[in-house]
């Protein structure tokens, strides 16, 4: 007969999850904070929200594991990459279960997880070991596709988030130094090239490209005026026409030229572990896809980034 004071055995702590949460609270949260003014939100408010929403907790642990995978030790890297993918899959599964619901209590968790998953989608290919068959354009297309899947969900919750505790995450900070504003000349050059292509080919998608170039101009203007580059980089993915994404997937030369100009924005984020050399690799691969005439349209891109395209 059990003693009256007997208690059920305590559940063992998951040491790996504790390790990942410590990684988040000491290091990883800084890498998703666009500046010091919002660090406290990512360090304290978001983990507190995750205690109520397991799908967000899995997202936090996924990105923390991927951050720990930034190591030269192959065995450790593989372990953390596998762990990150497991948590990412659990986060996506949980997000799917709440995506059709409009409960206000889900808004903050859904919004922050969407941000974490966008960063994760850039980070995973950057950390994976390079392979001979690796294609940066295909990887970026996947990033665009996975990111844009959350558009409808974010549109429905953005007002609620903007009126709550996470409001600072949606506010633009223009306190950064201005960059030299040479991008407007580049946008004018793209617009002229688009008009010339339309005169040469009646089937050229001029209006589609006009809309894409216009969005690129807005983005480059924000960066040159000191806007938050991280926000600008993600917003462009949401705002470009879906048909344009298909055109760059098909390796249409003019679509690739425009994409190389966008790469200037993500190249400026290369100091973040989760972005790394995405921009440079993208510019180089685009250059390899274009002939000499088209490559001449990348002169501003190369000047702005210092990247080099090897001759074919």
């Amino acid at each position: 007969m059990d003693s009256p004071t007997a208690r059920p055995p305590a559940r063992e702590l998951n040491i790996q999850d504790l390790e990942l949460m410590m990684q988040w609270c000491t290091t990883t949260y800084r890498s998703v904070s666009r500046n010091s003014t919002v660090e406290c939100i990512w360090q304290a408010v978001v983990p507190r929200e995750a205690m109520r929403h397991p799908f967000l907790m899995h997202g936090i642990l996924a990105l923390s594991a991927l951050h720990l995978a930034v190591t030269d030790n192959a065995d450790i890297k593989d372990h953390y990459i596998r762990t990150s993918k497991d948590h990412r899959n659990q986060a996506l599964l949980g997000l799917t279960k709440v995506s059709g619901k409009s409960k206000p209590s889900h808004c903050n968790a859904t919004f922050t997880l969407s941000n974490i998953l966008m960063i994760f989608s850039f980070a995973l290919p950057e950390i994976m070991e390079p392979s001979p068959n690796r294609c940066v354009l295909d990887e970026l297309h996947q990033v665009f596709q996975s990111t844009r899947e959350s558009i409808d969900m974010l549109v429905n919750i953005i007002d609620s988030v903007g009126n709550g505790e996470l409001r600072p995450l949606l506010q633009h900070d223009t306190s950064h130094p201005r960059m030299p504003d040479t991008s407007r000349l580049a946008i004018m050059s793209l617009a002229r090239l688009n008009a010339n292509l339309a005169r040469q080919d009646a089937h050229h998608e001029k209006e589609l490209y006009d809309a894409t170039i216009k969005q690129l101009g807005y983005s480059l203007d924000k960066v040159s005026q000191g806007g938050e580059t991280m926000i600008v980089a993600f917003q462009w993915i949401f705002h470009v026409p879906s048909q344009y994404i298909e055109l760059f997937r098909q390796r249409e030369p003019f679509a690739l030229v425009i994409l190389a100009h966008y790469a200037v924005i993500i190249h400026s984020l290369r100091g973040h572990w989760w972005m790394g050399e995405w921009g440079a690799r993208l510019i180089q691969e685009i250059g390899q896809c274009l002939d000499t005439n088209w490559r001449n349209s990348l002169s501003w891109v190369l000047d702005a980034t210092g990247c080099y395209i090897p001759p074919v």
Side-chain angles (χ1 to χ4, degrees):
M1 183 174 179
D2 292 338
S3 166
T5 58
R7 296 177 182 175
R11 190 179 135 206
E12 291 186 9
L13 293 174
N14 187 324
I15 299 301
Q16 180 171 265
D17 288 351
L18 289 176
E19 176 197 25
L20 298 180
M21 181 53 75
M22 180 174 291
Q23 168 69 18
W24 176 272
C25 292
T26 59
T27 306
T28 302
Y29 79 92
R30 290 194 185 96
S31 67
V32 302
S33 305
R34 65 178 190 267
N35 57 46
S36 58
T37 63
V38 298
E39 281 188 357
C40 62
I41 292 178
W42 287 105
Q43 185 186 27
V45 178
V46 173
R48 188 184 71 212
E49 196 73 24
M51 297 298 291
R52 297 192 290 265
H53 301 282
F55 63 90
L56 175 57
M57 179 63 75
H58 281 296
I60 286 174
L61 301 183
L63 195 62
S64 295
L66 209 52
H67 198 176
L68 286 169
V70 183
T71 173
D72 293 329
N73 186 312
D75 291 337
I76 293 176
K77 174 180 282 191
D78 289 343
H79 164 72
Y80 283 120
I81 287 176
R82 287 194 304 270
T83 300
S84 72
K85 288 180 178 179
D86 288 342
H87 281 296
R88 187 269 312 270
N89 292 340
Q90 289 297 316
L92 289 171
L93 181 62
L95 188 60
T96 300
K97 292 179 179 178
V98 303
S99 61
K101 303 175 182 178
S102 57
K103 292 183 179 179
S105 60
H106 292 148
C107 292
N108 287 348
T110 299
F111 174 77
T112 49
L113 178 60
S114 296
N115 281 267
I116 289 170
L117 291 176
M118 280 189 280
I119 292 172
F120 188 99
S121 65
F122 274 105
L124 183 59
E126 181 65 19
I127 292 172
M128 297 285 286
E129 290 295 326
S131 66
N133 299 323
R134 185 173 187 177
C135 179
V136 183
L137 283 165
D138 288 342
E139 290 175 350
L140 188 65
H141 180 261
Q142 183 58 47
V143 170
F144 273 55
Q145 292 295 94
S146 60
T147 298
R148 288 170 65 92
E149 287 174 0
S150 62
I151 288 179
D152 291 340
M153 180 173 54
L154 291 176
V155 167
N156 292 331
I157 66 174
I158 204 71
D159 288 341
S160 178
V161 174
N163 292 324
E165 195 172 13
L166 301 186
R167 182 178 180 180
L169 299 183
L170 295 172
Q171 295 173 332
H172 292 279
D173 179 7
T174 57
S175 62
H176 296 287
R178 291 175 62 93
M179 294 172 57
D181 189 7
T182 58
S183 61
R184 293 186 181 183
L185 295 176
I187 292 298
M188 290 171 60
S189 179
L190 288 175
R192 286 196 300 270
L193 179 55
N194 190 33
N196 290 337
L197 292 171
R199 283 192 289 270
Q200 297 167 15
D201 180 5
H203 299 290
H204 179 71
E205 300 276 3
K206 182 178 184 298
E207 292 184 1
L208 172 66
Y209 283 123
D210 275 338
T212 305
I213 294 168
K214 185 177 181 180
Q215 289 296 335
L216 180 63
Y218 289 153
S219 298
L220 289 172
D221 269 348
K222 288 178 181 177
V223 173
S224 69
Q225 293 169 14
E228 288 294 346
T229 308
M230 188 186 301
I231 294 178
V232 173
F234 292 152
Q235 284 181 336
W236 196 73
I237 297 175
F238 284 121
H239 291 158
V240 292
S242 58
Q243 300 95 313
Y244 165 75
I245 298 174
E246 178 60 20
L247 289 173
F248 91 64
R249 187 190 70 82
Q250 295 174 2
R251 310 300 195 265
E252 288 292 333
F254 190 46
L256 294 180
V257 168
I258 295 173
L259 190 64
H261 285 68
Y262 167 71
V264 174
I265 297 174
I266 62 175
H267 183 70
S268 67
L269 291 169
R270 62 191 179 281
H272 294 276
W273 67 270
W274 48 267
M275 183 61 76
E277 295 303 319
W278 255 101
R281 291 191 293 110
L282 181 58
I283 291 167
Q284 289 174 0
E285 187 167 298
I286 288 173
Q288 297 295 310
C289 293
L290 300 175
D291 62 26
T292 302
N293 291 331
W294 281 108
R295 274 202 235 174
N296 291 333
S297 301
L298 302 183
S299 57
W300 178 81
V301 173
L302 301 182
D303 287 343
T305 61
C307 292
Y308 170 71
I309 299 176
V312 179

PDB file of all heavy atoms in Angstrom, residues 215-229:
ATOM      1  N   GLN A 215       7.768  48.966 -56.884  1.00  0.00           N
ATOM      2  CA  GLN A 215       7.947  48.453 -55.524  1.00  0.00           C
ATOM      3  C   GLN A 215       9.426  48.444 -55.128  1.00  0.00           C
ATOM      4  O   GLN A 215       9.784  48.768 -53.988  1.00  0.00           O
ATOM      5  CB  GLN A 215       7.370  47.036 -55.408  1.00  0.00           C
ATOM      6  CG  GLN A 215       5.854  46.966 -55.451  1.00  0.00           C
ATOM      7  CD  GLN A 215       5.214  47.674 -54.262  1.00  0.00           C
ATOM      8  OE1 GLN A 215       5.825  47.826 -53.199  1.00  0.00           O
ATOM      9  NE2 GLN A 215       3.980  48.108 -54.434  1.00  0.00           N
ATOM     10  N   LEU A 216      10.290  48.091 -56.074  1.00  0.00           N
ATOM     11  CA  LEU A 216      11.723  48.097 -55.802  1.00  0.00           C
ATOM     12  C   LEU A 216      12.203  49.515 -55.500  1.00  0.00           C
ATOM     13  O   LEU A 216      13.022  49.731 -54.596  1.00  0.00           O
ATOM     14  CB  LEU A 216      12.488  47.523 -56.990  1.00  0.00           C
ATOM     15  CG  LEU A 216      14.010  47.464 -56.843  1.00  0.00           C
ATOM     16  CD1 LEU A 216      14.414  46.535 -55.709  1.00  0.00           C
ATOM     17  CD2 LEU A 216      14.645  47.006 -58.160  1.00  0.00           C
ATOM     18  N   GLY A 217      11.666  50.495 -56.243  1.00  0.00           N
ATOM     19  CA  GLY A 217      12.024  51.892 -55.989  1.00  0.00           C
ATOM     20  C   GLY A 217      11.636  52.331 -54.592  1.00  0.00           C
ATOM     21  O   GLY A 217      12.417  53.008 -53.899  1.00  0.00           O
ATOM     22  N   TYR A 218      10.417  51.954 -54.158  1.00  0.00           N
ATOM     23  CA  TYR A 218       9.988  52.269 -52.792  1.00  0.00           C
ATOM     24  C   TYR A 218      10.961  51.666 -51.774  1.00  0.00           C
ATOM     25  O   TYR A 218      11.353  52.321 -50.793  1.00  0.00           O
ATOM     26  CB  TYR A 218       8.589  51.713 -52.524  1.00  0.00           C
ATOM     27  CG  TYR A 218       7.464  52.420 -53.233  1.00  0.00           C
ATOM     28  CD1 TYR A 218       6.277  51.741 -53.547  1.00  0.00           C
ATOM     29  CD2 TYR A 218       7.560  53.762 -53.601  1.00  0.00           C
ATOM     30  CE1 TYR A 218       5.235  52.381 -54.198  1.00  0.00           C
ATOM     31  CE2 TYR A 218       6.520  54.398 -54.256  1.00  0.00           C
ATOM     32  CZ  TYR A 218       5.359  53.706 -54.557  1.00  0.00           C
ATOM     33  OH  TYR A 218       4.333  54.338 -55.211  1.00  0.00           O
ATOM     34  N   SER A 219      11.343  50.413 -52.009  1.00  0.00           N
ATOM     35  CA  SER A 219      12.206  49.714 -51.056  1.00  0.00           C
ATOM     36  C   SER A 219      13.583  50.353 -50.976  1.00  0.00           C
ATOM     37  O   SER A 219      14.114  50.586 -49.884  1.00  0.00           O
ATOM     38  CB  SER A 219      12.337  48.241 -51.465  1.00  0.00           C
ATOM     39  OG  SER A 219      11.073  47.591 -51.433  1.00  0.00           O
ATOM     40  N   LEU A 220      14.180  50.636 -52.111  1.00  0.00           N
ATOM     41  CA  LEU A 220      15.511  51.239 -52.119  1.00  0.00           C
ATOM     42  C   LEU A 220      15.485  52.650 -51.543  1.00  0.00           C
ATOM     43  O   LEU A 220      16.436  53.080 -50.876  1.00  0.00           O
ATOM     44  CB  LEU A 220      16.079  51.242 -53.539  1.00  0.00           C
ATOM     45  CG  LEU A 220      16.470  49.867 -54.086  1.00  0.00           C
ATOM     46  CD1 LEU A 220      16.823  49.958 -55.565  1.00  0.00           C
ATOM     47  CD2 LEU A 220      17.641  49.286 -53.305  1.00  0.00           C
ATOM     48  N   ASP A 221      14.394  53.379 -51.770  1.00  0.00           N
ATOM     49  CA  ASP A 221      14.249  54.715 -51.181  1.00  0.00           C
ATOM     50  C   ASP A 221      14.245  54.627 -49.652  1.00  0.00           C
ATOM     51  O   ASP A 221      14.885  55.423 -48.959  1.00  0.00           O
ATOM     52  CB  ASP A 221      12.956  55.380 -51.648  1.00  0.00           C
ATOM     53  CG  ASP A 221      13.151  56.212 -52.908  1.00  0.00           C
ATOM     54  OD1 ASP A 221      14.318  56.445 -53.281  1.00  0.00           O
ATOM     55  OD2 ASP A 221      12.146  56.618 -53.516  1.00  0.00           O
ATOM     56  N   LYS A 222      13.489  53.647 -49.118  1.00  0.00           N
ATOM     57  CA  LYS A 222      13.414  53.497 -47.662  1.00  0.00           C
ATOM     58  C   LYS A 222      14.783  53.183 -47.071  1.00  0.00           C
ATOM     59  O   LYS A 222      15.158  53.723 -46.027  1.00  0.00           O
ATOM     60  CB  LYS A 222      12.423  52.384 -47.301  1.00  0.00           C
ATOM     61  CG  LYS A 222      10.964  52.755 -47.529  1.00  0.00           C
ATOM     62  CD  LYS A 222      10.059  51.584 -47.186  1.00  0.00           C
ATOM     63  CE  LYS A 222       8.597  51.926 -47.441  1.00  0.00           C
ATOM     64  NZ  LYS A 222       7.709  50.764 -47.171  1.00  0.00           N
ATOM     65  N   VAL A 223      15.534  52.318 -47.745  1.00  0.00           N
ATOM     66  CA  VAL A 223      16.865  51.964 -47.244  1.00  0.00           C
ATOM     67  C   VAL A 223      17.799  53.169 -47.293  1.00  0.00           C
ATOM     68  O   VAL A 223      18.532  53.447 -46.343  1.00  0.00           O
ATOM     69  CB  VAL A 223      17.451  50.785 -48.047  1.00  0.00           C
ATOM     70  CG1 VAL A 223      18.896  50.532 -47.650  1.00  0.00           C
ATOM     71  CG2 VAL A 223      16.623  49.525 -47.826  1.00  0.00           C
ATOM     72  N   SER A 224      17.755  53.908 -48.397  1.00  0.00           N
ATOM     73  CA  SER A 224      18.650  55.063 -48.542  1.00  0.00           C
ATOM     74  C   SER A 224      18.325  56.166 -47.538  1.00  0.00           C
ATOM     75  O   SER A 224      19.194  56.955 -47.159  1.00  0.00           O
ATOM     76  CB  SER A 224      18.575  55.617 -49.968  1.00  0.00           C
ATOM     77  OG  SER A 224      17.321  56.212 -50.218  1.00  0.00           O
ATOM     78  N   GLN A 225      17.071  56.204 -47.070  1.00  0.00           N
ATOM     79  CA  GLN A 225      16.661  57.218 -46.104  1.00  0.00           C
ATOM     80  C   GLN A 225      16.830  56.755 -44.659  1.00  0.00           C
ATOM     81  O   GLN A 225      16.423  57.439 -43.727  1.00  0.00           O
ATOM     82  CB  GLN A 225      15.202  57.614 -46.355  1.00  0.00           C
ATOM     83  CG  GLN A 225      14.999  58.345 -47.672  1.00  0.00           C
ATOM     84  CD  GLN A 225      13.541  58.493 -48.056  1.00  0.00           C
ATOM     85  OE1 GLN A 225      12.657  58.275 -47.225  1.00  0.00           O
ATOM     86  NE2 GLN A 225      13.279  58.849 -49.293  1.00  0.00           N
ATOM     87  N   GLY A 226      17.419  55.582 -44.482  1.00  0.00           N
ATOM     88  CA  GLY A 226      17.680  55.094 -43.132  1.00  0.00           C
ATOM     89  C   GLY A 226      16.616  54.173 -42.588  1.00  0.00           C
ATOM     90  O   GLY A 226      16.589  53.899 -41.394  1.00  0.00           O
ATOM     91  N   GLY A 227      15.713  53.690 -43.438  1.00  0.00           N
ATOM     92  CA  GLY A 227      14.673  52.778 -42.981  1.00  0.00           C
ATOM     93  C   GLY A 227      15.245  51.429 -42.573  1.00  0.00           C
ATOM     94  O   GLY A 227      16.390  51.091 -42.900  1.00  0.00           O
ATOM     95  N   GLU A 228      14.458  50.658 -41.856  1.00  0.00           N
ATOM     96  CA  GLU A 228      14.908  49.365 -41.363  1.00  0.00           C
ATOM     97  C   GLU A 228      15.046  48.372 -42.517  1.00  0.00           C
ATOM     98  O   GLU A 228      14.063  47.959 -43.117  1.00  0.00           O
ATOM     99  CB  GLU A 228      13.925  48.828 -40.319  1.00  0.00           C
ATOM    100  CG  GLU A 228      13.971  49.576 -39.001  1.00  0.00           C
ATOM    101  CD  GLU A 228      15.290  49.381 -38.284  1.00  0.00           C
ATOM    102  OE1 GLU A 228      16.059  48.485 -38.666  1.00  0.00           O
ATOM    103  OE2 GLU A 228      15.556  50.138 -37.340  1.00  0.00           O
ATOM    104  N   THR A 229      16.275  47.988 -42.808  1.00  0.00           N
ATOM    105  CA  THR A 229      16.552  47.127 -43.959  1.00  0.00           C
ATOM    106  C   THR A 229      15.861  45.780 -43.827  1.00  0.00           C
ATOM    107  O   THR A 229      15.367  45.221 -44.808  1.00  0.00           O
ATOM    108  CB  THR A 229      18.067  46.935 -44.114  1.00  0.00           C
ATOM    109  OG1 THR A 229      18.705  48.219 -44.134  1.00  0.00           O
ATOM    110  CG2 THR A 229      18.382  46.218 -45.414  1.00  0.00           C
TER     111      THR A 229
END
